[in-house]
Amino acid sequence: MNLNVIAHLRTKACLGLLALFAMTHASAQTTLRVTTIPEEAATEQVRKFTPLANYLEKQLGMKVQFTPVTDYPAAVESLVNKKVDLVWFGGFTFVQASIRSGGKIVPIAQREEDTRFQSVFIAKTNSGIKSLADMKGKQVSFGSQSSTSGHLMPRSFLLQANIDPEKDFKRIAYSGAHDATIASVVSGKVDAAALDITVWRKFVAEHKVNTQDVNVFFTTAPYFNYNWSVHADMPADVREKIKAALLALNPANPEHAEILKLNRSTRYISTTPENYKGLESAARSAGLL
């Protein structure tokens, strides 16, 4: 076989590989893969985000595939490794993803509520627990270890109150999700617990918890929390279309209002990595990073 033929075959092989890459890339752009941190049960996550996925399909002109993950670290790894394109992160999981990726995770939108988010501590009303100090010697539950509102910030506020969970609590449990945290107090598995204020309010509004039996005894100061994030390698035009679609959700539109209600939001606004520097500092101070 002469050199010209070999060169011709090599060129054809290269062109074939380039075509395959182009087809794969184009295929990837026809489906937007979405997941969220599992702050509640998978069935609830699907119920909450399916209408938003349908809305994004219409706005973006591409299929949106929503797939729940099993735990918070899985959500982080999924975006860092580009197994998904768009993730609903808590503030702390965003920080973890940003560090893991070398700063390549881009937050594009947050709920207006996430600029002043809070955690609540709950206990049975007949437990005698009325303050953070009353938790000493008790069994206490957080949510996931990677949760902002269910672990990082509650722990940060406890440390500010000179309460060291490892030294001062009889036992520490991690429920894995906010709904499971509430259940652990209701069932008596633990004496007190910390969780996302919006999940608590939802449970109260839906009469899934009786505040005569279990109620809030401490609410934290506000902090930045959740956001929708993408990988920096996502094409800029796709990123901007997603962001524009989220910011366009209008509570005056009945369809949009239902999506926002399911997402426990009044509206979405822009966000930046700088908004989460305080959470990173709190995580380092608490020994979680």
Side-chain angles (χ1 to χ4, degrees):
M1 187 178 292
N2 65 41
L3 293 178
N4 287 337
V5 172
I6 292 172
H8 177 68
L9 290 173
R10 282 178 176 170
T11 300
K12 284 187 70 176
C14 288
L15 288 172
L17 286 172
L18 287 171
L20 179 61
F21 173 79
M23 286 172 63
T24 303
H25 184 68
S27 174
Q29 295 308 298
T30 63
T31 300
L32 183 75
R33 301 161 301 171
V34 183
T35 194
T36 71
I37 54 169
E39 54 179 350
E40 295 180 81
T43 51
E44 179 63 10
Q45 294 291 302
V46 172
R47 186 184 76 87
K48 280 170 51 180
F49 289 107
T50 296
L52 178 59
N54 294 338
Y55 165 77
L56 288 175
E57 282 193 347
K58 295 175 189 174
Q59 297 298 309
L60 304 176
M62 68 172 72
K63 179 177 172 59
V64 175
Q65 178 183 321
F66 176 73
T67 306
V69 292
T70 55
D71 55 35
Y72 284 52
V76 170
E77 294 303 318
S78 291
L79 190 57
V80 169
N81 295 313
K82 296 186 276 190
K83 301 296 184 185
V84 296
D85 307 298
L86 177 67
V87 178
W88 177 243
F89 277 139
F92 187 29
T93 37
F94 163 74
V95 169
Q96 290 173 321
S98 180
I99 292 171
R100 279 276 293 109
S101 67
K104 297 202 75 176
I105 303 304
V106 182
I108 58 173
Q110 65 181 173
R111 299 171 302 187
E112 192 170 36
E113 289 77 1
D114 292 312
T115 64
R116 52 180 189 278
F117 209 84
Q118 294 173 292
S119 296
V120 292
F121 285 80
I122 62 172
K124 286 195 172 181
T125 52
N126 62 1
S127 66
I129 300 175
K130 304 297 180 186
S131 68
L132 296 182
D134 293 335
M135 296 169 67
K136 291 184 177 182
K138 304 294 186 181
Q139 299 185 90
V140 177
S141 180
F142 295 112
S144 165
Q145 288 180 294
S146 295
S147 173
T148 309
S149 55
H151 181 220
L152 166 60
M153 293 314 291
R155 179 180 283 271
S156 181
F157 285 105
L158 285 166
L159 292 172
Q160 288 176 36
N162 296 315
I163 299 170
D164 184 330
E166 275 68 32
K167 293 179 181 178
D168 294 326
F169 295 160
K170 181 179 179 180
R171 180 175 71 91
I172 297 173
Y174 292 95
S175 71
H178 299 295
D179 49 1
T181 298
I182 296 173
S184 68
V185 177
V186 172
S187 67
K189 288 183 179 178
V190 296
D191 302 302
L195 71 146
D196 174 328
I197 192 171
T198 67
V199 176
W200 172 256
R201 286 173 174 168
K202 186 188 79 164
F203 267 61
V204 172
E206 295 176 357
H207 306 291
K208 291 181 178 178
V209 62
N210 185 346
T211 54
Q212 296 297 311
D213 297 328
V214 175
N215 211 346
V216 173
F217 66 87
F218 183 85
T219 303
T220 70
Y223 53 86
F224 276 92
N225 202 355
Y226 300 87
N227 67 55
W228 284 107
S229 285
V230 299
H231 198 283
D233 291 347
M234 172 182 278
D237 62 325
V238 177
R239 180 200 307 179
E240 290 308 310
K241 284 179 182 178
I242 296 169
K243 180 176 179 178
L246 290 169
L247 300 191
L249 285 166
N250 183 351
N253 178 317
E255 179 190 350
H256 294 188
E258 182 60 24
I259 292 169
L260 290 167
K261 180 181 177 182
L262 285 169
N263 287 231
R264 302 193 295 274
S265 176
T266 52
R267 67 187 179 109
Y268 281 103
I269 60 175
S270 297
T271 192
T272 65
E274 287 69 35
N275 287 336
Y276 301 92
K277 292 299 183 183
L279 290 181
E280 181 176 346
S281 296
R284 294 191 186 282
S285 296
L288 300 179
L289 282 178

